[in-house]
Amino acid sequence: MPKPKKEIRQEVKRAVLALAEPQRAAESHSVCAMLKSLIEKRQPRCVALFSPLRDEVDITPLMTQLECRVVLPRVGDGADGTPDMEFFECDAQSLSSGAYGILEPQRGTQCAAAEIDLMVVPGVAFASDGRRLGRGKGYYDRYLAREGFRAYTVGVCYSCQLRDDVPAEPHDKRVNEVVVAK
C-alpha cells in the first residue's frame, strides 16, 4: 500500500533540498539535454514550460533555446473563484513574481489549451508509468482535463523524485513520459 500523499511530499522535498548544488545543477542540465532532444524529435509548434521553484528541476535554459512558440503558466482565480491556470507567451522581460513566488508572464498573448503540442509538467514525485504527485492544489490536473487539451505531456524530475509507487486518484492525470536525471 502506498504511503499517504502528504508523507511522500515531505520525504521527497527533504531529499531534493538535501541534494548538493553541483548535483542539482548536473541533474538539471541532464534533464534539459534529454528534454531538448525529445522536443526537437517531436517538432511541436507550441511548448508549455514552467518556471521552476527552488525544489524543481531548473528548465529555464529551455525558455530561450527552443525554436518554437514557448508559453508559461500564470495562476489566479477563475471566474467562479476556484484556482485557475492559463498559459501566456514567454517573454523574459515580462516575467515577474506571481502566485506562490513563481515567475509568471505578466503580459503577452494567451494560449488556448488546444494550441499546446507538448507540455512539460512539474511534480513533487513521479512513477515511471506517468503517475504524478503534484503539490496538492490541482492546477495541472484541471488543466490537463480541459476540453480541447491534446498535448503530449512530459514530467521532469531529479533522480530522487522518481518513486516505485505514487498514489493516484481518479482525477489525477498521468503524463505520457517522465524525463529523469541520469
Side-chain angles (χ1 to χ4, degrees):
M1 175 164 202
K3 293 180 180 179
K5 289 180 178 184
K6 184 177 180 180
E7 189 176 330
I8 294 171
R9 285 185 183 103
Q10 291 170 343
E11 283 178 9
V12 172
K13 184 170 184 160
R14 279 193 301 271
V16 170
L17 294 176
L19 291 174
E21 189 53 42
Q23 181 180 358
R24 197 181 301 196
E27 289 198 25
S28 288
H29 181 76
S30 170
V31 167
C32 282
M34 289 184 284
L35 191 52
K36 186 175 182 193
S37 176
L38 171 75
I39 292 168
E40 288 171 350
K41 194 179 301 179
R42 294 192 66 90
Q43 299 182 331
R45 290 181 313 277
C46 181
V47 173
L49 298 177
F50 63 88
S51 294
L53 291 168
R54 199 174 126 225
D55 60 348
E56 293 174 333
V57 173
D58 183 4
I59 62 167
T60 55
L62 293 175
M63 291 180 195
T64 57
Q65 294 176 356
L66 300 178
E67 295 183 18
C68 62
R69 181 181 183 201
V70 175
V71 295
L72 293 175
R74 186 165 69 203
V75 174
D77 289 329
D80 62 357
T82 60
D84 193 27
M85 179 171 70
E86 298 294 341
F87 283 80
F88 293 84
E89 287 190 20
C90 177
D91 171 12
Q93 285 70 42
S94 78
L95 297 180
S96 65
S97 186
Y100 310 107
I102 300 169
L103 288 179
E104 299 177 336
Q106 297 306 307
R107 61 180 185 272
T109 306
Q110 186 171 337
C111 180
E115 294 177 55
I116 300 171
D117 300 307
L118 188 145
M119 179 180 280
V120 181
V121 182
V124 174
F126 291 91
S128 58
D129 65 0
R131 284 175 289 148
R132 172 187 163 273
L133 178 61
R135 294 183 180 274
K137 301 281 187 198
Y139 288 105
Y140 277 89
D141 289 319
R142 281 191 301 279
Y143 199 89
L144 298 177
R146 277 191 183 182
E147 187 173 328
F149 183 80
R150 57 167 182 73
Y152 187 80
T153 54
V154 182
V156 292
C157 64
Y158 293 113
S159 55
C160 64
Q161 291 176 282
L162 189 66
R163 314 256 318 183
D164 292 332
D165 197 13
V166 172
E169 296 174 44
H171 67 271
D172 292 329
K173 300 296 180 189
R174 291 180 187 225
V175 293
N176 297 110
E177 185 171 344
V178 178
V179 174
V180 60
K182 298 205 188 282

